[in-house]
Amino acid sequence: MGKTLFDKVWDAHVVDTIPNGPQILYIDKHLIHEVTSPQAFNELEARGIPIARPDQIVATADHNTPTVNQHLPVQDPLSRNQLEQLTKNCEKHGITLYGLGHQYNGIVHVMAPELGITQPGMTMVCGDSHTSTHGAFGSIAFGIGTSQVAQVFASQSLLLKKPKSLRVTVNGTLRPGVLPKDVILYIISQIGTNAGTGYFCEYAGNVFQDMSMEGRMTVCNMSIEMGARGGMIAPDQTTFDYIEGKKFAPQGDAFAKAVSYWKTLPTDTDATFDKEYHFDAADIAPMLTYGTNPGMGIKINEHIPETGDMTFEKALEYMNFKGGSQLLDTTINYVFIGSCTNSRIEDFRVAASYVKGKQKAPNVNAWLVPGSQQVVKQLEEEGLVEVFENAGFTLREPGCSACLAMNDDKIPSGEYCVSTSNRNFEGRQGQGSRTILASPLVAAATAIEGKIVDITKTILA
Amino acid sequence: MEKFTTLTTTAIPLPIENIDTDQIIPARFLKATDKKGFGDNVFRDWRYDAEGNLNEEFPLNAPQYATAQILVAGDNFGCGSSREHAAWAIAGYGLKVVISSFFADIFKGNALNNGLLPIQVTPDFLNQLLTCVQENPKTKITVDLENQIVEYIGIYNEQIQKGKESFDIDPYKKVCLINGYDDIDFLVSKKETIEAFEKERMVF
Ligand code: SF4
């Protein structure tokens, strides 16, 4: 029987199988950041175990960093201490760190692909659930807890049970204004937030084949929001073209050799999956979430469902929405374009395409937070900084920012935020904040209009 | 890691579905560089309002549940962020077991790595258990890891209510919990096998 993309990569990394138990999976790349690594470093130190493969670890500072005045010492003492610990730990163990202000610094899931660290056929982990992003390249990439960070430090391996396989196929033509973010929000709204638990997901069909690498990353990023540990897309010419020439990509002959291996990875035609879903691209529209998990999503002009179960009602009460109503025309005072889901150059290009020549609504506080220093550079080179500034926006410095609101970028209690991030949990963007997830295009339109508008009627008509 | 064999205690009911790790421990409490103190902030924004006043209606604050060591929660517990701080917070608060009808993958692994036992039961069993614990906070729950059995007994409506169900656990993880071992010890003991694998593998 044929093998899936996931099988091929997984099987190539199995070191050993414990009878009746888990497998030892070898990890090619381990990404770390300041928040989920300090306890793992401490654990190894306490046990006197050295770091097995420091050269296979890359560190960045992103979760707990300010997005203004990064050249100055970090104000908050706890955050500063956490960042200093990361620097110390990396120095001590010979781990490459792209810290605050470094030209390669950025959100871990934005900077690693940009540098060519992420490659097809690899196993990659990070103490962050959105590590699933890297699956866009045809790698097995997933988030781990801090105990597992310590395990990888100690052995460059993990003990795992092979997950089941799931395939989501979307074929057809996407309608104008429908972005990769809408595709994944639509999928999650249809199958729910735990449909993927216990599974690794492959995205197949022409919709994903036709997507840019940025779009594929947006999709794979949110695999965890349907419960899947990771998502993958078969590597193809788009993947190879993106990687070629990147700093840590194989060069010259090695690249050609790598490509010929990567070409063997896509799922065999006779392979089978434990679970499959099929969707028609024409059914997808620009999406919004109205509740407190990413599965609570509707098309931009749809009505909020009325179901009446307790958890559902609790979510609507938190959001101050009513079943049966629409989100259109809701006044929005906060817009966030950023996070590892939508802070790549393409996301800002699409936002700029709407914003160009217009003015931001006076009631709106818009935070535009690029995913990395490299994205900042691209924005400057392409003249997009000017487009945003002319429209009354300011760009902040890279980091996770209001995606998880660990730093000062918090949405005030009770306020709505139309956000391009990935989680609309209660208080995710600050205590009492109310998050509405959307694409960068919908977010840009909201910032200009000061309320939610049906972009399919305005620009796209 | 602490050993786990059997436990008999009362439980706190939390009949909410999709409890994510941001609720278990909000991001603003993740600035510590050690594992201590997270228990104080478990479910912080449900236990206290924005002004810091205690929410007396929240089960964790109710005196009748103060000595419980088990949390009984709605479906899909622990979804969202991979933060192990969520498991540290629950364990740090003094809880030893979480019972739900479904757990998110990463949380489940994190819990097991910290000696906190996640027990998945059927939706029916969960509903009955939740009702019993809400009706009578003195309901006793016994968890027997060796035999993989969870049972409860309580009285309400002047009748004895009880239930029993077996649960699944990865056999390897069960051995770890019973003996207090963790994966690091095991992986380090496999160093030679891992190094041999590294020599063979394909790298570009
Ligand atoms: S941007 Fe948000 S989701 Fe992404 S890594 Fe940072 S905190 Fe996690």
Side-chain angles (χ1 to χ4, degrees):
Chain A
M1 200 179 68
K3 281 181 153 195
T4 65
L5 164 64
F6 177 79
D7 290 335
K8 292 181 193 182
V9 182
W10 179 277
D11 294 350
H13 289 83
V14 174
V15 175
D16 204 359
T17 301
I18 320 294
N20 277 325
Q23 293 181 304
I24 303 179
L25 191 77
Y26 190 78
I27 302 302
D28 293 318
K29 281 279 178 294
H30 185 191
L31 308 171
I32 62 169
H33 61 84
E34 74 277 24
V35 176
T36 56
S37 68
Q39 291 88 349
F41 279 111
N42 294 346
E43 188 76 48
L44 258 69
E45 211 131 289
R47 298 180 189 219
I49 302 172
I51 305 258
R53 294 284 172 263
D55 52 327
Q56 285 168 241
I57 308 173
V58 178
T60 185
D62 56 1
H63 279 63
N64 195 4
T65 53
T67 53
V68 289
N69 293 326
Q70 288 186 351
H71 59 288
L72 299 176
V74 175
Q75 296 274 318
D76 176 46
L78 289 175
S79 305
R80 193 170 62 233
N81 176 48
Q82 211 171 40
L83 292 164
E84 282 169 3
Q85 286 260 334
L86 180 70
T87 309
K88 270 192 219 147
N89 282 327
C90 289
E91 272 171 10
K92 190 163 160 193
H93 298 283
I95 295 168
T96 305
L97 164 67
Y98 299 124
L100 216 49
H102 191 283
Q103 58 167 330
Y104 296 148
N105 176 257
I107 305 174
V108 60
H109 313 309
V110 177
M111 52 75 73
E114 273 174 358
L115 291 172
I117 293 169
T118 307
Q119 294 166 25
M122 277 184 169
T123 49
M124 299 180 77
V125 294
C126 174
D128 184 281
S129 58
H130 293 97
T131 308
S132 59
T133 311
H134 307 264
F137 291 78
S139 63
I140 291 185
F142 54 93
I144 56 177
T146 298
S147 293
Q148 292 176 307
V149 172
Q151 289 162 29
V152 183
F153 279 167
S155 68
Q156 202 57 35
S157 304
L158 280 172
L159 275 170
L160 295 164
K161 254 175 89 176
K162 190 175 178 178
K164 288 183 278 187
S165 63
L166 158 70
R167 180 163 60 185
V168 176
T169 307
V170 187
N171 279 312
T173 311
L174 291 174
R175 290 194 271 166
V178 175
L179 301 190
K181 179 65 163 289
D182 300 307
V183 175
I184 188 66
L185 282 174
Y186 174 81
I187 293 170
I188 302 169
S189 76
Q190 296 298 304
I191 70 177
T193 50
N194 64 20
T197 306
Y199 294 83
F200 226 86
C201 176
E202 178 173 343
Y203 300 96
N206 74 286
V207 164
F208 304 109
Q209 284 161 6
D210 297 343
M211 257 180 209
S212 66
M213 287 316 293
E214 283 87 351
R216 293 179 190 183
M217 283 189 258
T218 300
V219 170
C220 289
N221 173 277
M222 290 194 69
S223 306
I224 184 74
E225 308 311 335
M226 58 185 190
R229 266 315 255 287
M232 299 175 94
I233 292 174
D236 59 10
Q237 200 54 45
T238 308
T239 323
F240 311 146
D241 291 346
Y242 180 96
I243 297 172
E244 191 169 14
K246 294 271 190 298
K247 187 171 167 62
F248 293 105
Q251 312 287 337
D253 281 354
F255 183 75
K257 235 175 110 190
V259 169
S260 60
Y261 169 59
W262 295 341
K263 284 186 175 165
T264 67
L265 293 174
T267 295
D268 298 331
T269 41
D270 57 342
T272 55
F273 288 79
D274 295 312
K275 189 150 100 173
E276 298 233 34
Y277 295 100
H278 293 267
F279 296 104
D280 180 354
D283 288 340
I284 309 175
M287 298 288 293
L288 294 171
T289 61
Y290 57 85
T292 55
N293 73 55
M296 301 176 83
I298 48 174
K299 295 175 187 171
I300 198 159
N301 51 19
E302 267 179 345
H303 296 259
I304 297 173
E306 293 171 275
T307 70
D309 96 59
M310 191 179 132
T311 303
F312 185 87
E313 289 304 326
K314 180 176 177 291
L316 285 196
E317 194 184 316
Y318 182 85
M319 293 299 292
N320 197 24
F321 286 139
K322 292 250 167 331
S325 65
Q326 276 187 308
L327 268 57
L328 291 180
D329 289 334
T330 308
T331 303
I332 303 292
N333 296 329
Y334 288 83
V335 170
F336 173 58
I337 301 183
S339 91
C340 58
T341 314
N342 285 120
S343 65
R344 298 182 179 82
I345 187 64
E346 202 176 271
D347 303 314
F348 289 101
R349 280 187 198 134
V350 74
S353 71
Y354 188 93
V355 162
K356 196 169 185 178
K358 302 190 180 79
Q359 279 300 310
K360 174 181 82 68
N363 62 309
V364 170
N365 295 285
W367 295 340
L368 310 190
V369 185
S372 70
Q373 292 290 355
Q374 303 235 90
V375 174
V376 174
K377 215 170 115 207
Q378 277 173 297
L379 288 167
E380 284 163 359
E381 284 166 8
E382 296 183 19
L384 300 185
V385 175
E386 239 188 326
V387 171
F388 287 117
E389 278 175 356
N390 289 344
F393 296 98
T394 40
L395 280 169
R396 291 180 165 236
E397 290 169 289
C400 294
S401 179
C403 172
L404 91 165
M406 244 187 113
N407 66 2
D408 292 336
D409 305 348
K410 295 182 188 358
I411 308 301
S413 187
E415 290 282 357
Y416 292 114
C417 176
V418 169
S419 173
T420 67
S421 55
N422 41 52
R423 286 189 173 139
N424 50 351
F425 298 155
E426 282 185 28
R428 170 81 177 181
Q429 298 195 286
Q431 258 180 294
S433 63
R434 295 170 170 150
T435 303
I436 298 169
L437 301 176
S439 76
L441 184 58
V442 170
T446 307
I448 296 297
E449 310 298 338
K451 59 182 185 179
I452 295 176
V453 288
D454 188 352
I455 55 162
T456 59
K457 290 225 175 82
T458 52
I459 46 163
L460 306 167
Chain B
M1 206 168 73
E2 239 179 85
K3 293 181 186 180
F4 190 111
T5 46
T6 57
L7 176 73
T8 299
T9 172
T10 54
I12 308 171
L14 210 50
I16 301 167
E17 288 169 18
N18 301 315
I19 295 178
D20 58 77
T21 53
D22 273 77
Q23 306 318 315
I24 301 172
I25 184 86
R28 62 185 188 282
F29 299 114
L30 306 187
K31 296 182 183 183
T33 52
D34 58 24
K35 295 183 188 177
K36 292 187 215 97
F38 292 106
D40 296 341
N41 294 316
V42 72
F43 295 110
R44 178 76 198 198
D45 294 341
W46 287 349
R47 279 165 69 202
Y48 298 91
D49 68 14
E51 282 78 47
N53 304 311
L54 199 73
N55 169 7
E56 288 179 6
E57 304 203 333
F58 189 64
L60 256 76
N61 295 333
Q64 62 269 37
Y65 298 118
T67 56
Q69 289 183 297
I70 295 179
L71 183 70
V72 187
D75 199 59
N76 198 25
F77 186 83
C79 56
S81 156
S82 64
R83 59 187 70 160
E84 195 160 317
H85 312 68
W88 300 335
I90 295 174
Y93 184 77
L95 299 167
K96 303 252 185 280
V97 172
V98 184
I99 299 175
S100 174
S101 49
F102 200 82
F103 289 92
D105 280 339
I106 305 183
F107 176 81
K108 194 174 182 179
N110 287 343
L112 288 166
N113 282 333
N114 287 279
L116 176 69
L117 178 62
I119 298 182
Q120 185 169 328
V121 295
T122 58
D124 278 350
F125 184 87
L126 182 74
N127 277 336
Q128 287 153 11
L129 175 61
L130 274 171
T131 312
C132 198
V133 171
Q134 285 171 301
E135 295 283 341
N136 183 357
K138 292 205 181 91
T139 300
K140 282 264 184 265
I141 302 178
T142 299
V143 174
D144 175 353
L145 178 57
E146 183 67 54
N147 296 304
Q148 298 177 217
I149 285 174
V150 53
E151 53 188 318
Y152 67 89
I153 180 156
I155 299 175
Y156 73 87
N157 287 346
E158 294 172 8
Q159 279 193 4
I160 295 185
Q161 310 285 338
K162 56 183 179 179
K164 184 168 166 176
E165 204 170 84
S166 61
F167 61 87
D168 282 340
I169 179 166
D170 182 284
Y172 164 81
K173 278 289 165 200
K174 180 173 163 181
V175 173
C176 288
L177 279 174
I178 291 175
N179 296 296
Y181 294 159
D182 71 16
D183 293 354
I184 298 183
D185 304 323
F186 182 83
L187 284 167
V188 170
S189 76
K190 289 284 179 180
K191 199 168 166 227
E192 281 173 19
T193 321
I194 295 168
E195 283 176 356
F197 175 87
E198 278 181 322
K199 291 209 183 80
E200 296 283 307
R201 91 197 159 104
M202 201 166 17
V203 265
F204 298 104

